[in-house]
Amino acid sequence: MRSNGWWRTAAIYQIYLRSFADGNGDGVGDLAGLRARLPYLRELGVDALWLTPWNVSPMADGGYDVADYRDIDPLFGTLADAEGFLAEAHEQGLRVLVDLVPNHCSDAHPWFRAALAAPPGDPARERFWFRPGRGAGGELPPNDWRSYFGGPAWTRLPDGEWYLHMFAPQQPELNWEHEGVRAEFADVLRFWFDRGVDGFRIDVAHGLMKTPGLPDVGADPDPADLPYQDHEGVHEIYRAWRRIADGYADPRVFVGEVWLPTTAQFVRYLRPDELHSAFNFEFLCCAWEPNAIRKTIDDTLDTHRLVGAPPTWVLSNHDTIRHVTRYGREDTTFDLGNRRHGAFTDPALGTRRARAAALLTLALPGGVYVYQGDELGLAEVEDIPLERIQDPTWERSEHTDRGRDGCRVPLPWSGGEPPFGFSPPGAAQPWLPQPAGWSALTVEAQEPDASSMLRLYRQALAIRRERLTTLPEDIAWIAGDDGVLAFRRGDGFACVVNFTAAPARLPAHADVLLTSEPLRDGLLPADGSAWLAL
Ligand code: NOJ
């Protein structure tokens, strides 16, 4: 039977902790900064927060390299701070999801340290993927797999063995065939659930199991059949986790980061006894073009219906190009393998489309994700000086891909110059430099401006909560002019998006609830969207 849990309709705000708000003045966001800004999030009108990793980490990959899964990194605070934050978020009516990184840990994790200290063949190495190399002297990697960050997926040790890492060398892959690994993560889930965490976002959810024998992928691999992702065995892991989550009186939830090429593969993670939901990357990657958007929406609804999972909608996250920038380019798609840094961008066009997209995603059935700064209309920062770049992608790609820092720049809260209220007065510089032009985009600057992105998000989230979250999980398309998409939710609400370059007529309606651009003579301007009461 379909559950009516809060997560089916939640608006979830993604906190990239390092860049949200700095409480202690070291130039890096932390729990104290986040706690102080909880009233902002409550006022924004979101239902839940998802925090990117907060565990102890050397930060080789922004915390996605965990050295202790049961403690908080000192950059962010202490375990007591985390508990205090959870209690306060709950008091303010906000649920909290945190990131779980089960595919790999840090090379500073005690397990990996013990593995390195042990000789080849020692059981301490069995929690990871250690293998002898190929070639006469074992000088070649054990197979031809490539790291997602560039370069080989294997690193050789002085004793001659190689270990597997699908991301940076500081992120050794865990061996999920090992019972000890499974038991450890089951315990980690309980550790945080017992402290009040409402759920987990699961990093690289498709990657935990590998095809036995670790076969080569060859020169022209089929992206839907890779030996390091979407192995059948992964589903058993999520069934076991689901039983743990369902064992709590207020059941806890999982959202999967499932990047897979086909929806047939994707949807299997959302079967009723597996993950509750997953990010809709097909939508995130889709061009801002009416036929493509309509098809993606239909596919999404059809696929999720098969398994009774709620659809989700996401425009940006900490791994992508901010959509204000993406939608201002000629090619508005997103491709993880080619971020097209420096492509010509029309920021005004990108911003108009981002406003329209905000109303589109907030009108659709299911859950929706807002990445911090979406609500301020932040663009990708494309001119971070190369010597300030922190993302390991930059080094691993041999300086061909600047990576993801451009969407991770600390938020502008107030004032006319950096750090724009991100840190307290007298603090260290923010860990990534903020553009001077962000003075016009601070929360303080946008609050009094009725036409600002922030005000649009606040109004839309309030209307969504009041009118849309109790409606059935489907839509009905309304026939109309070419290049204009319109759909109904129930009998009383419609959303219209004008993808054309000319003003468009609105379908029959009783009232206009909200528009992304002011109507002109009753027409919806180019790149505009509207919410209507019918
Ligand atoms: C996905 C995360 O979102 C990304 O930031 C990270 O680099 C990789 N997984 C590896 O953990």
Side-chain angles (χ1 to χ4, degrees), residues 403-527:
R404 304 160 293 180
D405 286 350
C407 64
R408 299 175 172 183
V409 173
L411 290 193
W413 292 93
S414 57
E417 53 193 50
F420 299 118
F422 170 71
S423 297
Q429 290 289 311
W431 70 279
L432 285 174
Q434 300 160 302
W438 277 10
S439 55
L441 295 175
T442 62
V443 172
E444 185 183 53
Q446 296 200 38
E447 263 177 339
D449 175 1
S451 69
S452 68
M453 188 72 94
L454 179 58
R455 295 278 291 269
L456 181 73
Y457 266 88
R458 280 188 185 162
Q459 288 179 73
L461 283 159
I463 298 173
R464 180 181 188 275
R465 183 177 275 175
E466 193 187 301
R467 293 188 174 235
L468 304 185
T469 49
T470 50
L471 296 176
E473 268 174 17
D474 56 9
I475 64 169
W477 294 106
I478 302 172
D481 297 336
D482 275 357
V484 180
L485 290 186
F487 61 86
R488 262 190 312 107
R489 300 258 336 259
D491 296 328
F493 175 87
C495 173
V496 189
V497 187
N498 179 8
F499 290 84
T500 73
R505 289 176 302 147
L506 292 173
H509 56 275
D511 203 2
V512 176
L513 298 171
L514 188 61
T515 62
S516 68
E517 305 287 327
L519 299 181
R520 288 193 206 110
D521 301 326
L523 298 177
L524 183 61
D527 310 306

Side-chain angles (χ1 to χ4, degrees), residues 235-399:
H235 296 287
E236 187 190 317
I237 298 170
Y238 299 134
R239 284 190 198 106
W241 289 9
R242 181 67 180 250
R243 287 193 291 274
I244 295 174
D246 286 350
Y248 284 79
D250 182 12
R252 311 305 160 94
V253 303
F254 298 111
V255 51
E257 188 211 22
V258 184
W259 279 101
L260 285 171
T262 71
T263 45
Q265 292 174 292
F266 171 86
V267 73
R268 301 179 75 238
Y269 292 74
L270 300 178
R271 288 175 290 189
D273 58 349
E274 297 194 35
L275 306 181
H276 299 72
S277 69
F279 300 104
N280 186 351
F281 293 125
E282 191 187 336
F283 184 80
L284 186 150
C285 294
C286 182
W288 186 250
E289 192 279 318
N291 296 325
I293 292 272
R294 179 171 172 156
K295 181 174 179 321
T296 304
I297 292 172
D298 282 339
D299 284 354
T300 300
L301 296 176
D302 291 348
T303 318
H304 287 74
R305 199 174 296 123
L306 290 176
V307 286
T312 67
W313 311 98
V314 51
L315 293 165
S316 285
N317 69 26
H318 65 294
D319 292 329
T320 66
I321 292 284
R322 282 199 179 269
H323 60 276
V324 161
T325 299
R326 188 160 52 85
Y327 286 159
R329 292 173 172 175
E330 192 179 345
D331 182 344
T332 52
T333 62
F334 175 71
D335 177 355
L336 257 189
N338 177 9
R339 290 188 173 75
R340 294 188 277 278
H341 290 292
F344 173 77
T345 305
D346 175 344
L349 177 66
T351 301
R352 276 202 309 280
R353 288 174 169 171
R355 293 174 66 89
L359 293 197
L360 171 62
T361 51
L362 292 168
L364 286 164
V368 65
Y369 287 84
V370 178
Y371 176 43
Q372 65 179 41
D374 286 357
E375 82 282 17
L376 302 178
L378 300 186
E380 185 80 5
V381 181
E382 302 209 86
D383 58 356
I384 296 173
L386 296 178
E387 67 280 5
R388 299 284 304 268
I389 288 190
Q390 312 258 340
D391 184 354
T393 309
W394 175 236
E395 291 302 328
R396 295 283 302 166
S397 69
E398 295 179 340
H399 300 176

Side-chain angles (χ1 to χ4, degrees), residues 61 64 104 149 167 201 203-204 257 318-319 404 408:
D61 181 23
Y64 285 95
H104 45 266
F149 289 163
F167 295 90
R201 175 265 190 191
D203 190 58
V204 201
E257 188 211 22
H318 65 294
D319 292 329
R404 304 160 293 180
R408 299 175 172 183

